[in-house]
Amino acid sequence: MDYQLNTRLNGNIAMTSHFHESAQLQRDNTLYKFIWVQSGTLILEVDHIPMCLSKNEIVTLTPLHHLEVKEVDGEYLTFVFNSNFYCIYGHDNEVSCNGFLFFGSSKVMRLTLSDEQSSNLHDIVRIFRQESAIHDNLQEEMLRIVLKRFIITCTRIARRKFGVGEEKEKTFDIIRQFYVLVDQNFKEKKQVQDYADILCRSPKTLSNLFSSCGLPSPLRVIHERIEAEAMRLLLYTRKSAKEISAILGFEDLPAFSRFFKKMTGESVSDYRKRAEREELPTVAE
């Protein structure tokens, strides 16, 4: 463990090059995570899907994602924190990452850094390490400031990836709000119109906004969030298909079964059996 701080209010922040050796951090299901490969390769499983990362790639994960480090062939850095240390939802006006860097379990943000971007993040890490060695009553707030700088830098890198310039900021804020609303309401609200009403936009306007940023349609976003939650419940709980159907707000089991088959190409029972045999998908691109 390079550094870890636990605050009096159960806040937690840590930076480590040995996340795969820390049972404590792996067990903590409250952590947001940045995983940054600095040399070689790193093979992860995120919600049972293998992902191979190379040098200067970063993924961002929420507490909903199930993470397992499968193979380390190089060096990587993991930067983690919980909402008690820094709440990205409550401070969205500061970092603008909620619903973008950090989705629910339906999406993983994957970034490839340029040499300049990598150098900028290395500078922030260096400052973090310097501040972690100063034990005074200002340390916690200084580390929070450094974390914010790291998040904002990654947000800017992601914005560049999606072509979000100054002229598109307002558009993208609506899209981020949509993702957050879907995360909060997908079990009850399954139509684009439901979210359009909350955002005071028409469904067609939302579709055009998503299309202009090269993103899946709003309806697809809703369906992918439901699909991801269904998979998570099938993989990591012993709940029956009927119970999961009720949790996800379907009117009955057949409706859930039809939805799942349409989204995945597999029946609920076949998917669970395959997962139990650990016949996993190919490595994600």
Side-chain angles (χ1 to χ4, degrees), residues 19-167:
F19 179 85
H20 59 291
E21 297 175 351
S22 173
Q24 176 193 4
L25 290 180
Q26 291 180 60
R27 284 195 305 267
D28 191 335
N29 60 5
T30 69
L31 297 174
Y32 290 86
K33 305 175 186 72
F34 289 93
I35 302 175
W36 174 14
V37 179
Q38 300 184 326
S39 68
T41 59
L42 179 69
I43 297 179
L44 311 174
E45 271 183 20
V46 179
D47 288 338
H48 249 280
I49 299 177
M51 177 180 293
C52 182
L53 302 178
S54 302
K55 180 181 177 181
N56 279 340
E57 285 194 298
I58 290 182
V59 292
T60 58
L61 303 175
T62 75
L64 293 173
H65 291 106
H66 287 74
L67 169 66
E68 186 176 350
V69 179
K70 302 298 288 186
E71 184 178 326
V72 180
D73 186 13
E75 296 181 354
Y76 73 101
L77 189 70
T78 306
F79 202 6
V80 303
F81 63 98
N82 65 9
S83 290
N84 284 340
F85 186 83
Y86 188 75
C87 178
I88 60 171
Y89 182 77
H91 296 91
D92 188 65
N93 62 317
E94 296 177 349
V95 292
S96 300
C97 69
N98 198 24
F100 183 36
L101 279 188
F102 297 106
F103 299 90
S105 62
S106 59
K107 198 172 182 70
V108 175
M109 176 65 78
R110 184 170 178 170
L111 303 173
T112 301
L113 306 177
S114 67
D115 289 342
E116 181 183 2
Q117 291 165 344
S118 176
S119 177
N120 290 340
L121 290 181
H122 274 293
D123 287 343
I124 297 171
V125 168
R126 179 178 50 80
I127 294 169
F128 183 90
R129 287 178 170 145
Q130 289 174 346
E131 292 299 334
S132 67
I134 302 173
H135 300 286
D136 60 16
N137 63 342
L138 302 175
Q139 184 193 53
E140 180 182 335
E141 189 55 33
M142 282 299 293
L143 293 179
R144 194 171 285 113
I145 290 168
V146 178
L147 171 63
K148 284 167 56 177
R149 184 174 172 186
F150 193 95
I151 294 172
I152 290 170
T153 301
C154 287
T155 299
R156 286 174 170 167
I157 293 168
R159 282 185 171 191
R160 183 172 296 181
K161 173 181 178 177
F162 285 94
V164 183
E166 187 176 347
E167 73 285 356

